[in-house]
């Protein structure tokens, strides 16, 4: 640990820190930029000309979200589940004049979204708590709240609002970049990240701290030794900071393939968060729902319905894959 800089050094592993995946100089995990417009109140009804789909959320256009081409048999896929818990994916809660990636939610809008969940009888919890309640059959009214990248504004703006409703959440932090900035976002606003002390204090207060890798590097396609560093080493370093177990992982950019899920499982995590539904959907590739500053009541309701629909479609595809695997095993 580097106490002066407020960062955590990774174990020497020869890990390269490539720039964030881009397409024409833009992050590929971020929604397309649109002309900003005022946020609508949470009680609004959908307009007749309202779009029927949400803006693409982080990770939806990344090829690794699909079932990767692999020589491994389909039977090696981690066990899938027929339904997945509803987990909301946030990044930053702050006020920004320009946010081309649309990853920032204003504190006012965030407070309205949390109040809406409360009015509907829902309780926001950490993903760790959600998974434990789900295993015990007690997750009906729970919603997972996750915050990617570990921005410092999580402690300043999100935590007080969540505490007012008795909610909890998970912050996924980048082990090698604590106390630094989001340099991987080439076009977005510079945002400071939680320091070592802030992460320590949050964990001591009961907030779940999860791993977001070492340097915000996409995992698909990495060599086995680098995958080990990204998963095992980041967990070990964060456990030194929080003084306890780190059991949750979140894939940078939401990018996931079969090798990544197996590396996360073998590193000893209890679960991992992705973004999109895929044939890998399950405990080590949990889909999540992107939430932005434009999301009011009707959009959140629509996203909940879309999540259920995608669960159904994913299960049908999984069954077809299982049937195909069965036919391949019967071929002499």
């Amino acid at each position: 640990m580097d106490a002066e800089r407020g960062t955590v050094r990774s174990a020497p592993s020869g890990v390269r820190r490539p720039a964030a995946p881009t397409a024409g100089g833009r992050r590929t995990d971020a929604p397309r930029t649109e002309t900003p417009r005022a946020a609508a109140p949470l009680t609004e009804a959908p307009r007749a000309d309202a779009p029927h789909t949400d803006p693409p959320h982080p990770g939806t256009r990344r090829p690794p979200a699909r079932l990767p081409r692999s020589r491994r048999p389909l039977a090696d896929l981690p066990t899938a589940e027929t339904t997945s818990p509803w987990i909301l994916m946030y990044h930053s809660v702050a006020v920004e004049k320009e946010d081309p990636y649309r990853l920032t939610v204003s504190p006012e809008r965030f407070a309205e979204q949390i109040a809406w969940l409360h009015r509907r009888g829902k309780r926001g919890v950490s993903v760790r708590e959600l998974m434990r309640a789900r295993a015990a059959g007690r997750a009906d009214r729970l919603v997972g709240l996750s915050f990617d990248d570990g921005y410092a504004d999580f402690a300043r703006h999100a935590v007080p609002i969540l505490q007012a409703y008795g909610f909890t959440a998970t912050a996924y932090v980048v082990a090698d970049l604590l106390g630094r900035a989001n340099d991987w976002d080439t076009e977005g606003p510079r945002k400071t990240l939680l320091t070592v002390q802030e992460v320590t204090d949050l964990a001591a207060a009961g907030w779940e701290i999860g791993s977001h890798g070492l340097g915000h590097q996409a995992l698909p396609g990495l060599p086995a030794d680098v995958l080990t560093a990204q998963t095992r080493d980041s967990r070990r370093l964060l456990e030194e900071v929080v003084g306890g177990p780190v059991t949750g992982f979140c894939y940078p950019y939401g990018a996931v393939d079969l090798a990544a899920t197996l590396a996360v499982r073998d590193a000893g995590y209890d679960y991992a968060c992705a973004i999109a539904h895929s044939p890998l959907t399950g405990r080590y590739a949990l889909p999540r729902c992107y939430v932005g500053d434009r999301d009011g009541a009707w959009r959140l309701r629509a996203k909940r319905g879309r999540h259920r629909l995608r669960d159904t479609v994913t299960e049908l595809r999984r069954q077809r894959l299982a049937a195909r695997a069965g036919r391949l095993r019967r071929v002499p």
Side-chain angles (χ1 to χ4, degrees):
M1 186 188 308
D2 189 337
E4 294 181 0
R5 290 192 307 151
T7 62
V8 179
R9 295 195 191 100
S10 62
S13 59
V15 177
R16 298 178 61 190
R17 301 282 190 261
T22 61
R26 298 186 58 79
R27 273 180 58 150
T28 56
D29 72 319
R32 292 191 298 270
T33 303
E34 295 180 357
T35 304
R37 62 182 182 181
L42 284 174
T43 54
E44 67 174 346
R47 304 192 323 270
D49 61 342
H52 295 288
T53 58
D54 297 306
H57 53 72
T60 54
R61 293 188 290 163
R62 292 187 56 83
R66 298 180 180 178
L67 177 66
R69 295 181 181 273
S70 172
R71 293 173 182 261
R72 294 177 180 270
L74 292 174
D76 280 358
L77 287 173
T79 302
E81 299 178 14
T82 57
T83 61
S84 54
W86 196 32
I87 303 173
L88 303 184
M89 179 182 67
Y90 288 94
H91 286 76
S92 172
V93 178
V95 176
E96 297 289 354
K97 293 182 179 179
E98 295 185 5
D99 182 25
Y101 301 131
R102 298 213 305 274
L103 299 180
T104 305
V105 177
S106 71
E108 293 76 15
R109 177 57 110 183
F110 180 69
E112 291 172 354
Q113 292 166 345
I114 297 303
W116 178 80
L117 288 174
H118 179 73
R119 288 197 304 272
R120 290 180 58 84
K122 304 293 185 181
R123 184 167 72 89
V125 297
S126 68
V127 181
R128 176 179 59 196
E129 182 177 348
L130 178 65
M131 296 302 289
R132 290 174 178 173
R134 181 176 169 82
R138 296 182 286 100
D140 287 347
R141 294 193 171 276
L142 302 184
V143 178
L145 300 179
S146 64
F147 293 77
D148 290 16
D149 302 337
Y151 294 112
D153 56 52
F154 171 73
R156 287 197 299 268
H157 299 308
V159 165
I161 294 171
L162 295 172
Q163 286 178 323
Y165 289 92
F167 287 9
T168 61
T170 302
Y172 295 107
V173 303
V174 184
D176 260 358
L177 302 181
L178 298 182
R180 297 173 67 175
N182 58 329
D183 293 333
W184 61 85
D185 282 336
T186 57
E187 296 184 15
R190 294 278 68 79
K191 294 176 179 286
T192 58
L193 306 178
L194 292 165
T195 65
V196 169
Q197 188 60 54
E198 287 173 326
V199 170
T200 301
D201 292 343
L202 285 168
W207 301 90
E208 183 189 10
I209 301 298
S211 172
H212 207 32
L214 288 177
H216 207 278
Q217 182 178 9
L219 300 192
L222 294 180
D225 60 330
V226 182
L227 275 177
T228 297
Q230 291 288 333
T231 55
R232 290 181 187 270
D233 290 1
S234 65
R235 182 185 181 197
R236 174 179 57 81
L237 292 168
L238 290 176
E239 287 181 340
E240 293 176 3
V241 173
V242 305
V246 171
T247 59
F249 188 87
C250 177
Y251 300 100
Y253 304 103
V256 58
D257 62 4
L258 178 57
T261 64
L262 297 177
V264 169
R265 181 195 65 185
D266 294 344
Y269 293 94
D270 289 341
Y271 73 86
C273 285
I275 296 176
H277 283 75
S278 78
L280 294 170
T281 290
R283 175 171 289 273
Y284 293 104
L286 294 168
R288 291 180 297 161
C289 174
Y290 157 80
V291 182
D293 200 57
R294 297 175 58 204
D295 290 325
W298 72 267
R299 288 177 64 89
L300 290 174
R301 284 195 296 268
K303 287 185 175 186
R304 177 60 174 137
R306 184 184 64 182
H307 178 85
R308 291 171 173 168
L309 175 61
R310 287 178 173 172
D311 268 345
T312 300
V313 173
T314 299
E315 172 60 13
L316 292 174
R317 289 175 176 171
R318 188 193 68 80
Q319 291 176 3
R320 286 200 295 268
L321 283 172
R324 176 189 170 196
R327 290 194 298 269
L328 290 175
R329 284 194 294 268
R330 290 195 297 270
V331 173

